[in-house]
Amino acid sequence: MDTNDFKIIDEEYEAGRLALRSYVTGFVLSIILTLIPYFIVVNKMFGVQSMVVAIVLFGVTQLFVQVVFFLHLHKKFKPKWNMVIFTFTVLIVSILVVGTLWIMSNLNYNTMHRTPATLNEGYIPQ
Amino acid sequence: MNTETLNQNLTATHEAHQTRGAKALFGFWTYIMSDVLLFGAIFASYAVLHDNIFGGPSAKELFSMPFVLVETLVLLASSFTFGLASLHAHHHAEGRNCIPKVVKWLGITFLLGAVFLGMELFEFAKLLEEGNGWQRSGFLSAFFTLVGTHGLHVTAGLIWMGSVTAQVVRHGITERTINKISTLGLFWHFLDIVWIFIFTFVYLMGAI
Protein backbone atom coordinates (compact mmCIF):
# COMPACT_ATOMS: atom_id res chain seq x y z
CA MET A 1 0.00 0.00 0.00
CA ASP A 2 1.20 3.51 -0.77
CA THR A 3 2.82 5.44 2.09
CA ASN A 4 0.68 8.45 1.26
CA ASP A 5 -2.42 6.53 2.24
CA PHE A 6 -1.28 6.73 5.83
CA LYS A 7 0.40 10.11 5.72
CA ILE A 8 -1.66 12.61 7.65
CA ILE A 9 0.84 15.40 8.19
CA ASP A 10 2.83 16.93 5.34
CA GLU A 11 6.37 16.97 6.74
CA GLU A 12 7.74 19.30 4.07
CA TYR A 13 4.96 21.80 4.60
CA GLU A 14 5.50 21.65 8.35
CA ALA A 15 9.10 22.80 7.97
CA GLY A 16 8.39 25.74 5.68
CA ARG A 17 7.57 29.41 6.08
CA LEU A 18 3.96 28.79 5.09
CA ALA A 19 3.48 26.68 8.21
CA LEU A 20 4.55 29.59 10.46
CA ARG A 21 2.18 31.93 8.66
CA SER A 22 -0.57 29.33 9.04
CA TYR A 23 -0.04 28.99 12.83
CA VAL A 24 -0.06 32.78 13.31
CA THR A 25 -3.19 33.20 11.14
CA GLY A 26 -4.94 30.39 13.02
CA PHE A 27 -4.03 31.89 16.38
CA VAL A 28 -5.23 35.41 15.50
CA LEU A 29 -8.46 34.13 13.91
CA SER A 30 -9.16 31.88 16.93
CA ILE A 31 -8.72 34.78 19.36
CA ILE A 32 -11.12 36.92 17.32
CA LEU A 33 -13.61 34.05 17.04
CA THR A 34 -13.45 33.59 20.83
CA LEU A 35 -13.76 37.26 21.77
CA ILE A 36 -16.71 38.14 19.50
CA PRO A 37 -19.18 35.53 20.86
CA TYR A 38 -17.90 36.23 24.39
CA PHE A 39 -18.79 39.93 24.18
CA ILE A 40 -22.06 39.22 22.38
CA VAL A 41 -23.12 37.01 25.30
CA VAL A 42 -21.71 39.12 28.14
CA ASN A 43 -23.30 42.34 26.82
CA LYS A 44 -26.54 40.55 25.81
CA MET A 45 -26.41 42.20 22.40
CA PHE A 46 -29.26 40.26 20.73
CA GLY A 47 -32.32 38.21 21.63
CA VAL A 48 -31.82 34.75 23.15
CA GLN A 49 -32.53 32.85 19.91
CA SER A 50 -30.18 34.87 17.73
CA MET A 51 -27.43 34.73 20.38
CA VAL A 52 -27.64 30.92 20.46
CA VAL A 53 -27.41 30.73 16.67
CA ALA A 54 -24.55 33.26 16.62
CA ILE A 55 -22.34 31.51 19.20
CA VAL A 56 -22.89 28.08 17.62
CA LEU A 57 -21.85 29.53 14.24
CA PHE A 58 -18.74 31.12 15.79
CA GLY A 59 -17.88 27.82 17.52
CA VAL A 60 -18.20 25.79 14.32
CA THR A 61 -16.18 28.38 12.37
CA GLN A 62 -13.44 28.13 14.97
CA LEU A 63 -13.49 24.33 14.66
CA PHE A 64 -12.74 24.66 10.94
CA VAL A 65 -10.12 27.37 11.53
CA GLN A 66 -8.22 25.13 13.97
CA VAL A 67 -8.51 22.00 11.83
CA VAL A 68 -7.14 23.87 8.81
CA PHE A 69 -4.53 26.17 10.41
CA PHE A 70 -3.32 24.08 13.38
CA LEU A 71 -3.75 20.42 12.45
CA HIS A 72 -2.32 20.72 8.90
CA LEU A 73 -3.78 17.43 7.78
CA HIS A 74 -1.98 16.17 4.72
CA LYS A 75 -3.31 17.94 1.65
CA LYS A 76 -3.23 15.81 -1.48
CA PHE A 77 -5.93 14.83 -3.89
CA LYS A 78 -6.41 11.15 -3.06
CA PRO A 79 -8.87 8.99 -1.21
CA LYS A 80 -7.38 9.43 2.22
CA TRP A 81 -7.99 6.96 5.01
CA ASN A 82 -7.83 9.61 7.71
CA MET A 83 -10.70 11.45 5.99
CA VAL A 84 -12.68 8.20 5.75
CA ILE A 85 -12.42 7.64 9.51
CA PHE A 86 -13.10 11.33 10.18
CA THR A 87 -16.27 11.33 8.06
CA PHE A 88 -17.49 8.12 9.70
CA THR A 89 -16.88 9.61 13.16
CA VAL A 90 -18.79 12.77 12.28
CA LEU A 91 -21.69 10.59 11.08
CA ILE A 92 -21.77 8.49 14.27
CA VAL A 93 -21.47 11.55 16.55
CA SER A 94 -24.34 13.27 14.71
CA ILE A 95 -26.56 10.19 15.06
CA LEU A 96 -25.58 9.91 18.73
CA VAL A 97 -26.16 13.57 19.66
CA VAL A 98 -29.23 14.27 17.52
CA GLY A 99 -30.76 10.89 18.41
CA THR A 100 -30.21 11.42 22.14
CA LEU A 101 -31.73 14.90 22.10
CA TRP A 102 -34.68 13.74 20.02
CA ILE A 103 -35.51 10.74 22.19
CA MET A 104 -34.96 12.53 25.48
CA SER A 105 -37.07 15.56 24.52
CA ASN A 106 -39.90 13.20 23.53
CA LEU A 107 -39.51 11.40 26.82
CA ASN A 108 -39.58 14.70 28.73
CA TYR A 109 -42.65 15.79 26.82
CA ASN A 110 -44.51 12.54 27.47
CA THR A 111 -43.70 12.46 31.18
CA MET A 112 -44.26 16.17 31.86
CA HIS A 113 -47.48 16.76 29.90
CA ARG A 114 -49.83 14.14 31.32
CA THR A 115 -53.02 14.11 29.34
CA PRO A 116 -55.73 11.48 29.76
CA ALA A 117 -54.60 9.99 26.45
CA THR A 118 -51.04 9.32 27.65
CA LEU A 119 -52.17 8.25 31.12
CA ASN A 120 -54.30 5.53 29.59
CA GLU A 121 -51.46 4.07 27.61
CA GLY A 122 -51.74 0.31 27.57
CA TYR A 123 -55.22 0.36 29.04
CA ILE A 124 -57.79 -1.42 26.93
CA PRO A 125 -61.37 -0.38 27.68
CA GLN A 126 -63.61 -3.41 28.27
CA MET B 1 29.34 -2.78 -1.48
CA ASN B 2 29.80 0.32 -3.63
CA THR B 3 28.67 3.77 -2.58
CA GLU B 4 25.63 3.82 -4.81
CA THR B 5 24.08 0.67 -3.32
CA LEU B 6 24.90 1.96 0.15
CA ASN B 7 23.09 5.20 -0.59
CA GLN B 8 20.15 3.29 -2.01
CA ASN B 9 20.04 1.17 1.13
CA LEU B 10 20.14 4.28 3.29
CA THR B 11 17.29 5.84 1.35
CA ALA B 12 15.30 2.62 1.68
CA THR B 13 15.84 2.58 5.47
CA HIS B 14 14.86 6.25 5.64
CA GLU B 15 11.66 5.57 3.72
CA ALA B 16 10.89 2.54 5.89
CA HIS B 17 11.23 4.78 8.97
CA GLN B 18 8.97 7.38 7.42
CA THR B 19 6.35 4.77 6.56
CA ARG B 20 6.45 3.47 10.12
CA GLY B 21 6.12 7.02 11.48
CA ALA B 22 3.24 7.77 9.11
CA LYS B 23 1.47 4.56 10.13
CA ALA B 24 1.93 5.30 13.83
CA LEU B 25 0.50 8.78 13.29
CA PHE B 26 -2.40 7.30 11.33
CA GLY B 27 -3.10 4.84 14.15
CA PHE B 28 -3.08 7.68 16.62
CA TRP B 29 -5.50 9.63 14.43
CA THR B 30 -7.84 6.62 14.64
CA TYR B 31 -7.56 6.75 18.44
CA ILE B 32 -8.40 10.47 18.44
CA MET B 33 -11.50 9.78 16.35
CA SER B 34 -12.65 7.21 18.93
CA ASP B 35 -12.02 9.85 21.61
CA VAL B 36 -14.30 12.17 19.62
CA LEU B 37 -17.03 9.51 20.02
CA LEU B 38 -16.44 9.50 23.79
CA PHE B 39 -16.74 13.28 23.99
CA GLY B 40 -19.78 13.19 21.68
CA ALA B 41 -21.55 10.87 24.12
CA ILE B 42 -20.65 13.05 27.13
CA PHE B 43 -21.76 16.22 25.31
CA ALA B 44 -25.07 14.54 24.48
CA SER B 45 -25.66 13.66 28.15
CA TYR B 46 -24.76 17.22 29.16
CA ALA B 47 -27.25 18.55 26.60
CA VAL B 48 -29.94 16.31 28.08
CA LEU B 49 -29.17 17.07 31.73
CA HIS B 50 -28.21 20.76 31.70
CA ASP B 51 -31.73 21.92 32.69
CA ASN B 52 -32.12 19.41 35.53
CA ILE B 53 -30.85 21.65 38.31
CA PHE B 54 -33.05 20.10 41.02
CA GLY B 55 -33.58 23.40 42.85
CA GLY B 56 -29.83 24.03 42.83
CA PRO B 57 -27.87 26.74 41.02
CA SER B 58 -27.94 26.93 37.20
CA ALA B 59 -24.97 27.54 34.92
CA LYS B 60 -25.84 31.24 34.81
CA GLU B 61 -25.40 31.67 38.57
CA LEU B 62 -22.28 29.53 38.90
CA PHE B 63 -19.68 30.51 36.33
CA SER B 64 -17.49 33.59 36.22
CA MET B 65 -17.23 34.53 32.54
CA PRO B 66 -13.97 36.59 32.63
CA PHE B 67 -12.29 33.65 34.41
CA VAL B 68 -13.43 31.24 31.70
CA LEU B 69 -12.33 33.64 28.95
CA VAL B 70 -8.79 33.79 30.39
CA GLU B 71 -8.79 29.97 30.71
CA THR B 72 -9.80 29.65 27.04
CA LEU B 73 -7.16 32.11 25.82
CA VAL B 74 -4.44 30.32 27.85
CA LEU B 75 -5.29 26.96 26.23
CA LEU B 76 -5.49 28.60 22.80
CA ALA B 77 -2.05 30.16 23.30
CA SER B 78 -0.66 26.75 24.33
CA SER B 79 -1.97 25.24 21.08
CA PHE B 80 -0.16 28.01 19.18
CA THR B 81 3.12 27.59 21.08
CA PHE B 82 3.00 23.83 20.46
CA GLY B 83 2.72 24.64 16.76
CA LEU B 84 5.92 26.69 17.06
CA ALA B 85 7.70 23.78 18.79
CA SER B 86 6.63 21.41 16.00
CA LEU B 87 7.72 23.96 13.38
CA HIS B 88 11.22 24.27 14.88
CA ALA B 89 11.50 20.48 15.21
CA HIS B 90 10.90 20.13 11.47
CA HIS B 91 13.30 23.02 10.76
CA HIS B 92 15.93 21.07 12.65
CA ALA B 93 15.36 18.06 10.44
CA GLU B 94 16.39 20.28 7.52
CA GLY B 95 19.87 20.67 8.96
CA ARG B 96 19.72 23.54 11.47
CA ASN B 97 20.28 23.20 15.19
CA CYS B 98 16.91 24.03 16.70
CA ILE B 99 16.98 21.84 19.82
CA PRO B 100 17.08 24.80 22.30
CA LYS B 101 14.14 26.45 20.52
CA VAL B 102 12.11 23.22 20.47
CA VAL B 103 12.76 22.67 24.19
CA LYS B 104 11.89 26.32 24.95
CA TRP B 105 8.54 26.20 23.12
CA LEU B 106 7.67 22.79 24.56
CA GLY B 107 8.43 24.23 28.02
CA ILE B 108 6.23 27.30 27.42
CA THR B 109 3.42 25.05 26.15
CA PHE B 110 3.77 22.88 29.25
CA LEU B 111 3.54 25.94 31.53
CA LEU B 112 0.45 27.28 29.73
CA GLY B 113 -1.15 23.81 29.94
CA ALA B 114 -0.36 23.65 33.66
CA VAL B 115 -1.88 27.13 34.22
CA PHE B 116 -5.03 26.00 32.38
CA LEU B 117 -5.28 22.82 34.46
CA GLY B 118 -4.68 24.84 37.65
CA MET B 119 -7.55 27.20 36.72
CA GLU B 120 -9.83 24.24 36.03
CA LEU B 121 -9.00 22.65 39.40
CA PHE B 122 -9.47 26.03 41.12
CA GLU B 123 -12.96 26.29 39.62
CA PHE B 124 -13.78 22.72 40.74
CA ALA B 125 -12.50 23.39 44.26
CA LYS B 126 -14.60 26.57 44.49
CA LEU B 127 -17.75 24.73 43.36
CA LEU B 128 -17.16 21.90 45.84
CA GLU B 129 -16.49 24.36 48.66
CA GLU B 130 -19.83 26.10 47.99
CA GLY B 131 -21.60 22.74 48.21
CA ASN B 132 -22.16 22.53 44.45
CA GLY B 133 -20.37 19.25 43.83
CA TRP B 134 -21.36 16.56 41.33
CA GLN B 135 -23.92 15.11 43.77
CA ARG B 136 -25.91 18.38 43.86
CA SER B 137 -27.92 17.95 40.64
CA GLY B 138 -28.05 16.21 37.28
CA PHE B 139 -26.69 19.37 35.68
CA LEU B 140 -23.64 19.43 37.97
CA SER B 141 -22.99 15.67 37.50
CA ALA B 142 -22.94 16.18 33.74
CA PHE B 143 -20.80 19.32 34.09
CA PHE B 144 -18.15 17.61 36.23
CA THR B 145 -18.10 14.57 33.93
CA LEU B 146 -17.63 16.65 30.79
CA VAL B 147 -15.11 19.21 32.05
CA GLY B 148 -13.39 16.60 34.26
CA THR B 149 -12.86 14.22 31.31
CA HIS B 150 -11.30 17.06 29.36
CA GLY B 151 -9.13 17.91 32.38
CA LEU B 152 -7.93 14.28 32.63
CA HIS B 153 -6.95 14.39 28.96
CA VAL B 154 -5.01 17.62 29.56
CA THR B 155 -3.26 15.98 32.54
CA ALA B 156 -2.28 13.00 30.37
CA GLY B 157 -1.08 15.42 27.68
CA LEU B 158 1.10 17.29 30.20
CA ILE B 159 2.75 14.08 31.48
CA TRP B 160 3.36 13.01 27.89
CA MET B 161 4.76 16.45 27.01
CA GLY B 162 7.20 16.22 29.93
CA SER B 163 8.36 12.85 28.66
CA VAL B 164 8.76 14.03 25.05
CA THR B 165 10.69 17.13 26.19
CA ALA B 166 13.04 14.93 28.25
CA GLN B 167 13.60 12.69 25.21
CA VAL B 168 14.38 15.70 23.00
CA VAL B 169 16.90 16.94 25.59
CA ARG B 170 18.46 13.48 25.84
CA HIS B 171 18.42 12.19 22.25
CA GLY B 172 18.04 15.41 20.24
CA ILE B 173 15.73 15.68 17.24
CA THR B 174 15.66 12.29 15.55
CA GLU B 175 13.15 10.50 13.35
CA ARG B 176 11.67 9.01 16.53
CA THR B 177 11.36 12.22 18.55
CA ILE B 178 9.93 14.10 15.55
CA ASN B 179 7.22 11.45 15.20
CA LYS B 180 6.47 11.75 18.90
CA ILE B 181 6.18 15.54 18.62
CA SER B 182 3.78 15.16 15.66
CA THR B 183 1.63 12.63 17.53
CA LEU B 184 1.48 14.73 20.69
CA GLY B 185 0.66 17.72 18.45
CA LEU B 186 -2.46 15.99 17.09
CA PHE B 187 -3.55 15.24 20.67
CA TRP B 188 -2.88 18.75 21.98
CA HIS B 189 -4.68 20.56 19.13
CA PHE B 190 -7.56 18.08 19.51
CA LEU B 191 -7.91 19.02 23.21
CA ASP B 192 -8.06 22.69 22.24
CA ILE B 193 -10.85 21.93 19.76
CA VAL B 194 -12.82 20.01 22.42
CA TRP B 195 -12.44 22.99 24.75
CA ILE B 196 -13.94 25.34 22.12
CA PHE B 197 -17.08 23.20 22.25
CA ILE B 198 -17.09 23.23 26.06
CA PHE B 199 -16.61 27.02 26.01
CA THR B 200 -19.47 27.42 23.52
CA PHE B 201 -22.00 24.89 24.78
CA VAL B 202 -21.36 24.92 28.53
CA TYR B 203 -20.17 28.42 29.38
CA LEU B 204 -21.53 30.73 26.67
CA MET B 205 -24.87 28.89 26.36
CA GLY B 206 -25.08 28.77 30.13
CA ALA B 207 -24.60 32.54 30.39
CA ILE B 208 -27.38 33.38 27.92
Side-chain angles (χ1 to χ4, degrees), chain B residues 150-166:
Chain B
H150 179 266
L152 277 179
H153 278 76
V154 173
T155 314
L158 283 178
I159 295 170
W160 188 6
M161 204 177 292
S163 137
V164 169
T165 314

Side-chain angles (χ1 to χ4, degrees), chain A residues 6 8 11 14-15 19 23 27 30 34 38 44 52 55-56 62-63 66 71 81-82 85 89 92 96 100-101 104, chain B residues 22 26 29-30 33 37 41 47-48 65-66 76-77 80 83 86-87 90-91 186 189 192-193 196 200 205 207:
Chain A
F6 293 112
I8 73 166
E11 305 287 337
E14 197 65 21
Y23 281 124
F27 187 45
S30 295
T34 304
Y38 175 82
K44 309 236 172 296
V52 170
I55 63 173
V56 170
Q62 194 173 167
L63 163 73
Q66 295 215 1
L71 280 180
W81 285 105
N82 59 335
I85 307 179
T89 311
I92 297 293
L96 186 73
T100 307
L101 289 176
M104 292 311 286
Chain B
F26 175 75
W29 175 252
T30 316
M33 288 301 104
L37 291 180
V48 168
M65 292 308 283
L76 189 59
F80 174 63
S86 147
L87 191 84
H90 285 91
H91 261 297
L186 282 186
H189 295 313
D192 195 28
I193 291 174
I196 291 163
T200 305
M205 288 280 198

Side-chain angles (χ1 to χ4, degrees), chain B residues 167-185:
Chain B
Q167 289 174 52
V168 169
V169 170
R170 214 168 148 201
H171 306 291
I173 309 282
T174 61
E175 203 95 51
R176 278 181 85 106
T177 45
I178 277 214
N179 283 336
K180 284 180 181 173
I181 290 174
S182 300
T183 322
L184 178 57

